[in-house]
């Protein structure tokens, strides 16, 4: 069976996109105001060139619906704009803010501050997965996050950032609604059962190996964009076969997880390809090393401007969830970006 991908190109935004879609020159990208007039056709890894999105060769039209349909609602959250997921690490050793939120009271206060700044989701994690970080047992992970999840779930949609099924189960029972798994439910088969039985939305991320300590040793790809897309499509199909509907699945290309800086940029540049899987796309690039290398900023906490630039680029390319450290800045930037893209004065009224 041939492997085929339709990759949107020639993206349009704002009034031009709406007019092009209305007049039959473009198609909507994932049901959003963005549209695409052109596509790159890829078959068995071969680039077949750029074609009009409205005049595809015979047999390719069947690949368009996942690209053009709006994904199903996620945890009753808005579907008409990119969502902001605030990062809340209850760990002593995260790469950007390790130790600041290890104390439960500090983590809860930080979570409420993110909500006041406009976060749609709070992503709570108890294990650092940066290269070289020591693993954490599920017991220690649960002890770190459970008081935080239990309290914040009273006021927010909480996701639990974990690869351990015991932690997933404990967090979901404490009020978390979403599971965010960097191993795409591969760490332990029990995690698939936990997610299915809880009927919870799940984020499936690409990481080439299961051990985060070794991920930067595995950056050799034939084509990083296609390899990541194939992996994510296969994991989504596997999850569906196990009883987790596609409408509850979010895909994440895993920027910085087993990728070089150049590969991260390629994935961002060709992000619309992933829309063909038919799921929401999450991008987590906040303060990461490749941003520091491009901008020349060594300290992670000082990479806010570069992180905002990546967030806006991802949103423009179809990302519907942005996982960030700097919630207030991201919310403000997205609001301004949307006002500019829509070309209207609604924000001034």
């Amino acid at each position: 069976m041939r492997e085929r991908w339709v990759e949107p190109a020639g993206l349009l935004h704002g009034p031009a996109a709406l007019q092009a879609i209305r007049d039959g020159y473009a198609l909507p990208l994932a049901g959003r105001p963005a549209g695409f007039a052109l596509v790159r056709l890829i078959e068995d890894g071969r680039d077949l060139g750029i074609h009009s999105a409205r005049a595809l060769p015979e047999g390719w039209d069947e690949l368009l619906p996942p690209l053009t349909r709006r994904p199903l609602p996620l945890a009753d959250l808005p579907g008409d704009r990119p969502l902001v997921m605030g990062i809340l690490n209850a760990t002593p050793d995260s790469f950007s803010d390790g130790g600041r939120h290890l104390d439960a009271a500090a983590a809860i206060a930080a979570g409420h501050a993110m909500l006041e700044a406009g976060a749609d989701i709070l992503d709570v994690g108890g294990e650092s997965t940066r290269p070289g970080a020591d693993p954490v047992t599920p017991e220690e992970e649960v002890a770190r996050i459970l008081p935080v999840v239990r309290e914040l779930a009273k006021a927010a949609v909480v996701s639990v950032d974990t690869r351990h099924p015991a932690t997933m189960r404990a967090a979901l029972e404490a009020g978390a609604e979403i599971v965010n798994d960097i191993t795409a439910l591969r760490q332990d088969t029990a995690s698939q059962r936990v997610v299915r039985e809880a009927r919870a939305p799940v984020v499936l991320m690409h990481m080439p190996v299961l051990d985060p300590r070794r991920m930067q040793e595995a950056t050799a790809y034939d084509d990083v964009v296609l390899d990541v897309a194939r992996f994510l499509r296969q994991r989504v199909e596997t999850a569906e076969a196990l009883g987790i509907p596609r409408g509850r699945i979010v895909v994440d290309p895993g920027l910085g997880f087993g990728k070089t800086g150049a590969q991260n940029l390629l994935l961002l540049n060709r992000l619309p390809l992933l829309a063909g899987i038919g799921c929401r796309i999450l991008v987590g690039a906040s303060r990461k090393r490749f941003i520091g290398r491009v901008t020349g900023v060594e300290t992670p906490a000082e990479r806010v401007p570069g992180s905002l630039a990546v967030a806006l680029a991802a949103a423009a390319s179809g990302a519907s969830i942005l996982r960030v450290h700097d919630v207030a800045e991201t919310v403000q930037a997205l609001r301004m970006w949307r006002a500019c893209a829509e070309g209207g004065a609604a924000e001034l009224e």
Side-chain angles (χ1 to χ4, degrees):
M1 184 177 178
R2 292 175 175 174
E3 179 200 47
R4 287 180 165 180
W5 293 90
V6 174
E7 179 179 353
L11 264 59
L12 301 167
H13 297 90
L18 295 175
Q19 183 172 350
I21 293 168
R22 183 192 64 204
D23 293 348
Y25 295 109
L27 296 170
L29 179 62
R32 298 175 61 195
F36 57 98
L38 304 172
V39 294
R40 176 183 287 110
L41 303 184
I42 302 168
E43 185 173 76
D44 296 331
R46 293 181 297 113
D47 186 339
L48 303 185
I50 299 293
H51 295 251
S52 167
R54 286 289 194 176
L56 297 185
E58 184 178 354
W60 287 83
D61 284 357
E62 63 190 39
L63 300 180
L64 288 175
L67 284 168
T68 58
R69 285 194 301 254
R70 174 173 290 180
L72 294 174
L74 182 75
D76 295 324
L77 290 165
D80 61 343
R81 59 172 175 81
L83 302 174
V84 175
M85 173 186 277
I87 299 170
L88 191 55
N89 293 316
T91 62
D93 55 350
S94 293
F95 83 96
S96 177
D97 54 5
R100 288 184 58 199
H101 305 137
L102 182 58
D103 175 74
I108 291 166
H112 282 296
M114 289 181 185
L115 291 176
E116 290 176 8
D120 299 290
I121 307 167
L122 298 179
D123 193 42
V124 181
E127 178 185 40
S128 174
T129 51
R130 62 176 174 78
D134 292 328
V136 173
T137 66
E139 293 77 14
E140 176 64 20
E141 190 179 32
V142 168
R144 290 176 178 179
I145 70 166
L146 212 57
V148 182
V149 171
R150 187 177 290 117
E151 184 62 29
L152 290 177
K154 298 174 184 177
V157 173
V158 172
S159 66
V160 56
D161 178 8
T162 182
R163 55 197 174 118
H164 302 296
T167 308
M168 295 176 191
R169 183 179 291 107
L172 290 168
E173 290 175 353
E177 298 182 49
I178 301 170
V179 170
N180 182 9
D181 183 4
I182 63 168
T183 72
L185 302 181
R186 294 180 298 152
Q187 180 79 26
D188 188 323
T189 56
S191 61
Q192 301 161 0
R193 185 171 62 254
V194 170
V195 170
R196 182 183 68 246
E197 292 176 353
R199 302 178 62 83
V202 61
V203 180
L204 304 179
M205 195 193 80
H206 174 272
M207 184 171 61
V209 295
L210 288 178
D211 186 349
R213 292 172 296 179
R214 295 182 47 249
M215 62 186 175
Q216 291 309 108
E217 301 170 13
T219 59
Y221 301 93
D222 292 330
D223 179 323
V224 66
V225 179
L226 281 180
D227 288 352
V228 168
R230 289 184 187 113
F231 170 92
L232 291 173
R233 183 155 71 180
Q234 186 273 327
R235 293 308 301 162
V236 169
E237 290 171 352
T238 298
E240 271 196 312
L242 293 169
I244 303 170
R246 191 170 300 232
R248 292 210 303 264
I249 301 172
V250 178
V251 295
D252 178 353
L255 300 184
F257 286 80
K259 285 93 176 173
T260 65
Q263 290 166 347
N264 291 328
L265 294 172
L266 275 172
L267 284 162
L268 283 165
N269 183 261
R270 297 179 61 189
L271 193 67
L273 178 73
L274 299 184
I277 299 172
C279 300
R280 289 175 178 267
I281 300 169
L282 181 150
V283 169
S286 181
R287 300 185 182 181
K288 288 191 173 176
R289 184 176 301 174
F290 79 97
I291 295 175
R293 287 180 175 172
V294 171
T295 61
V297 179
E298 184 174 349
T299 304
E302 296 176 3
R303 297 172 185 163
V304 179
S307 298
L308 294 177
V310 174
L312 295 182
S317 294
S320 60
I321 305 175
L322 302 170
R323 184 176 182 271
V324 304
H325 295 88
D326 305 292
V327 170
E329 294 85 347
T330 305
V331 168
Q332 186 179 131
L334 282 172
R335 188 171 294 147
M336 195 69 240
W337 168 74
R338 290 181 65 208
C340 292
E342 291 167 4
E347 295 290 341
L348 301 179
E349 295 177 356

